[in-house]
Amino acid sequence: MRRNLPLALAFILGFVMIFQYFIPHPLSQKFYDIFIQQWLIIISIFFYILSWRSFVLYHTNKIRRKKEGWWASIVAIVSFLFMALAGIITKKGYIFNQMYNYVYAPLQATMFSLLAFFVASAAFRAFRARNLEATLLLIAATIVMLGRVSVGSYIWKGLPDFVEWILEYPNMAAQRGIRIGVGLGMIATSLKIILGIERTYLGGGD
Amino acid sequence: MFMIIMFSLYPPFNVRASDKPNDGGGSILIKWDKVEDTLLAGYEIFILEEGMEDYEQYDYVPAIYNTYEAEGLKNNVNYRFKIRSLGKDGSYSDFSVPTEPVKCYPQFFKLNKLNTFFAIFIYLFILVYFTKKARGEHLFIRRIAGLDHLEEAVGRATEMGKPMLYVPGISTLSDIATLAALNILKPVAKKAAEYDTPLIVPNYDPMVNIVSQEVVKEAYTEAGRPDAFKRENVFFLCDSQFAYAAGVDGIMVREKPATNLLIGMFYAESLLLAETGNMTGAIQIAGTDAVAQLPFFVAACDYTIMGEELYAASAYLSREPKLVGSLKAQDLSKMILMGFIIIGSILMLGFNWDIIIKLFGTV
């Protein structure tokens, strides 16, 4: 029962959702909105409660055992409680918005901006001509980089067009090859789950 | 003089309206022949609903268009449309001949997706055929370096006495890549349990978190080590992209895992994670179907499971005949698609015949 019920649900709902996609009638859309979207929201609430417990458990455990960086866990729990209270008490009012706009958003932007430095270090490592593939990568990347900046056309007038050709044909061909494989893989995985061939995601054994 | 200015523009001709096909109703398509005039700015569309006395102005369309989709209309109610041209100087033409009364109504099947519908069921048939055929047969699978080195990665962590970090991406359970990541998590957790190596799984999505906990717990039980499972090691970190990246980076720097597995769906945080892992000296295996993130993983990780390999991982690791058979179905489908691409290219380039393009098109 523990195993068969989820499999039966996956089978029935899987096929229902396949057919739902092909039916544009408002009834079909209503079914999707009520049975899928709204149920998902209701179920998510329970998952969030369990996950908050998991979050608090992880950090309290770190604090209790005085693990390296335990003080950061205090910050995490205090921030979590503060933002939750600010949201609940003030109904996402002044304090919540101020904290979001002037603490949370700049922190996000800071993390994102680190990407520029990481791209440089990763590019340096990737472009070391260790073998044929890495050398080809280095040559292609150098041409594309030069063609994308204004100095490229000073070096050779046809460089920007050549770069466009690289991006539109060899690059696009490779990308489409990957995408076709991914698409088929996704459909196969979905069908395997619907048909009950793939069961690993269920966790439990037979 | 006034009349000359007012009617210097021609109205659009051949204005016709029809129900928009393959939709849920409420929309009517209007088409007309373009007015070729340099003074033309656009068209004004007027609507007359059944029961109303006079036409009302409905919308304005720039001159470059000769089609319009009227939306938000009532189903099974007659509508008529007429259009007039609007000049750049504010002048306008006479009205076009009004369209015949037309109703919009919802359809029960997207006929423009009929090819997709049949393709799914043909693929389903191939999949079922190969999974049945695979029983008791040995089918060859090519080597996938990233998956071959999973055991080595676990062994390395064990030898170094350090934990392993498994990041299942930053998407939800509705993303197939996340499901594929959970499929790979189980054998990884099983190996970690067998080698008695701590496994840390920080999660981005609450649902993925609960499923991850169950998958890891079951893997430990299957390995005969249910006591070694620590629920606090599979936890919800946060559901904000860069806060999650910062949290995982922090774990990498503090815990110094010997092995990092970044498997699932990733976005801009991919390089933040992979580069930090690289700096800590961990062996890194990444796997994603996000084409835009693949170069970052290739640059910063030791092994990368690319695109479809991610979906083959479950079959590759378990070697279960039914799952291996599904890979054969994928390969055959890919060959069929390649055949269509080659034949379509020959027909189009050699004979200017676009039958294959139309076969795969959804207008």
Side-chain angles (χ1 to χ4, degrees):
Chain A
M1 185 67 176
R2 187 176 162 244
R3 189 80 169 165
N4 290 338
L5 186 66
L7 285 174
L9 276 175
F11 182 82
I12 295 164
L13 283 173
F15 274 103
V16 166
M17 289 311 294
I18 289 177
F19 285 107
Q20 191 277 334
Y21 173 76
F22 293 100
I23 302 169
H25 198 278
L27 282 177
S28 162
Q29 192 55 47
K30 207 169 182 179
F31 166 82
Y32 180 77
D33 290 342
I34 293 172
F35 285 88
I36 307 300
Q37 300 284 56
Q38 292 188 19
W39 279 20
L40 200 65
I41 292 168
I42 294 164
I43 295 167
S44 305
I45 295 164
F46 293 100
F47 279 110
Y48 262 101
I49 294 167
L50 289 169
S51 293
W52 289 333
R53 180 180 169 273
S54 164
F55 172 85
V56 173
L57 200 72
Y58 171 72
H59 286 290
T60 48
N61 191 41
K62 256 182 82 178
I63 297 164
R64 208 173 53 239
R65 292 183 187 175
K66 288 277 190 296
K67 278 187 171 182
E68 191 188 346
W70 61 272
W71 54 269
S73 290
I74 297 175
V75 176
I77 290 178
V78 170
S79 306
F80 164 66
L81 292 174
F82 181 82
M83 284 302 276
L85 285 173
I88 294 163
I89 294 167
T90 65
K91 289 182 184 168
K92 287 197 177 179
Y94 182 73
I95 301 171
F96 185 92
N97 288 335
Q98 293 291 98
M99 292 298 286
Y100 187 90
N101 290 331
Y102 298 110
V103 178
Y104 179 77
L107 283 172
Q108 288 258 52
T110 307
M111 275 307 290
F112 191 37
S113 57
L114 282 177
L115 205 56
F117 302 102
F118 282 3
V119 164
S121 66
F124 174 74
R125 208 171 30 254
F127 292 165
R128 275 181 300 180
R130 289 165 299 181
N131 50 36
L132 180 67
E133 287 88 353
T135 313
L136 283 173
L137 182 71
L138 171 66
I139 294 166
T142 310
I143 292 169
V144 172
M145 280 194 289
L146 283 173
R148 285 274 165 169
V149 290
S150 50
V151 73
S153 55
Y154 286 107
I155 297 169
W156 175 42
K157 217 167 70 179
L159 195 59
D161 291 335
F162 181 57
V163 166
E164 284 305 312
W165 180 85
I166 289 175
L167 293 175
E168 279 180 31
Y169 295 97
N171 175 56
M172 189 57 78
Q175 276 201 39
R176 284 186 180 163
I178 295 172
R179 281 181 205 278
I180 290 172
V182 167
L184 287 171
M186 285 170 95
I187 301 169
T189 307
S190 308
L191 290 175
K192 278 188 280 183
I193 289 169
I194 291 170
L195 295 174
I197 298 167
E198 177 69 80
R199 301 172 177 199
T200 321
Y201 74 101
L202 285 172
D206 288 318
Chain B
M1 184 63 190
F2 173 73
M3 291 298 283
I4 291 167
I5 292 168
M6 192 173 170
F7 297 122
S8 61
L9 282 168
Y10 282 109
F13 292 105
N14 196 17
V15 180
R16 63 261 186 212
S18 58
D19 175 38
K20 190 190 171 198
N22 308 308
D23 72 344
S27 300
I28 288 176
L29 276 180
I30 309 159
K31 293 178 182 175
W32 60 91
D33 294 348
K34 266 187 180 174
V35 174
E36 299 298 340
D37 195 324
T38 50
L39 293 173
L40 183 75
Y43 306 96
E44 284 181 343
I45 296 170
F46 288 74
I47 188 169
L48 177 68
E49 191 183 317
E50 189 182 338
M52 303 280 276
E53 285 186 359
D54 207 1
Y55 280 88
E56 283 179 5
Q57 189 170 348
Y58 188 73
D59 209 347
Y60 167 80
V61 181
I64 52 165
Y65 299 105
N66 66 333
T67 58
Y68 179 75
E69 188 184 322
E71 290 174 323
L73 305 176
K74 292 173 195 159
N75 287 326
N76 297 311
V77 172
N78 273 317
Y79 288 96
R80 294 171 77 110
F81 296 89
K82 61 181 183 181
I83 305 174
R84 69 179 177 191
S85 306
L86 187 71
K88 287 174 183 167
D89 56 356
S91 63
Y92 48 85
S93 70
D94 197 359
F95 283 107
S96 66
V97 176
T99 62
E100 291 296 313
V102 63
K103 288 177 183 173
C104 54
Y105 50 88
Q107 275 86 44
F108 283 95
F109 195 84
K110 289 179 187 169
L111 284 172
N112 59 337
K113 302 267 184 195
L114 204 60
N115 49 7
T116 315
F117 186 78
F118 282 119
I120 287 175
F121 283 92
I122 291 168
Y123 193 29
L124 180 70
F125 173 76
I126 295 170
L127 192 76
V128 172
Y129 172 77
F130 274 98
T131 46
K132 284 205 183 296
K133 191 174 177 262
R135 282 176 193 164
E137 267 189 50
H138 175 76
L139 296 170
F140 170 77
I141 316 178
R142 72 170 170 85
R143 281 189 66 237
I144 300 174
L147 296 173
D148 273 347
H149 288 85
L150 268 179
E151 191 154 356
E152 179 197 322
V154 182
R156 185 176 184 261
T158 312
E159 279 171 19
M160 293 174 78
K162 287 182 174 178
M164 286 170 61
L165 179 71
Y166 191 99
V167 182
I170 67 155
S171 194
T172 60
L173 274 184
S174 56
D175 202 320
I176 308 293
T178 309
L179 288 174
L182 292 171
N183 287 339
I184 301 173
L185 174 61
K186 191 170 184 182
V188 169
K190 204 168 168 181
K191 289 232 169 2
E194 283 164 5
Y195 286 97
D196 200 18
T197 303
L199 176 68
I200 304 169
V201 188
N203 289 291
Y204 172 86
D205 181 72
M207 279 200 204
V208 176
N209 175 49
I210 303 301
V211 178
S212 297
Q213 284 183 350
E214 287 306 308
V215 167
V216 175
K217 187 183 167 191
E218 199 57 41
Y220 273 71
T221 309
E222 276 183 25
R225 298 292 316 278
D227 53 306
F229 171 66
K230 288 179 183 159
R231 196 173 283 274
E232 67 265 24
N233 278 355
V234 186
F235 56 95
F236 172 65
L237 194 60
C238 73
D239 62 356
S240 166
Q241 185 183 18
F242 291 108
Y244 179 79
V248 174
D249 284 356
I251 292 166
M252 284 177 179
V253 172
R254 283 192 303 272
E255 307 278 345
K256 297 224 165 22
T259 303
N260 294 334
L261 300 165
L262 310 168
I263 294 171
M265 178 52 86
F266 293 90
Y267 299 93
E269 76 294 339
S270 63
L271 194 62
L272 294 177
L273 301 174
E275 265 301 285
T276 310
N278 194 293
M279 285 171 196
T280 61
I283 182 169
Q284 297 203 106
I285 300 175
T288 188
D289 64 355
V291 179
Q293 308 308 325
L294 279 172
F296 296 133
F297 280 146
V298 171
C301 296
D302 298 282
Y303 302 99
T304 307
I305 301 163
M306 284 188 199
E308 62 181 326
E309 291 175 350
L310 182 68
Y311 301 108
S314 184
Y316 191 88
L317 294 171
S318 69
R319 300 278 165 171
E320 201 182 310
K322 280 196 285 184
L323 294 176
V324 176
S326 72
L327 293 185
K328 292 288 162 189
Q330 272 174 253
D331 286 347
L332 179 69
S333 307
K334 222 182 309 176
M335 279 175 67
I336 293 171
L337 280 178
M338 278 168 66
F340 273 118
I341 291 170
I342 292 166
I343 293 167
S345 303
I346 292 168
L347 288 179
M348 192 64 207
L349 294 171
F351 307 98
N352 203 23
W353 196 20
D354 61 354
I355 184 168
I356 303 288
I357 296 171
K358 280 181 180 162
L359 189 69
F360 283 87
T362 52
V363 183

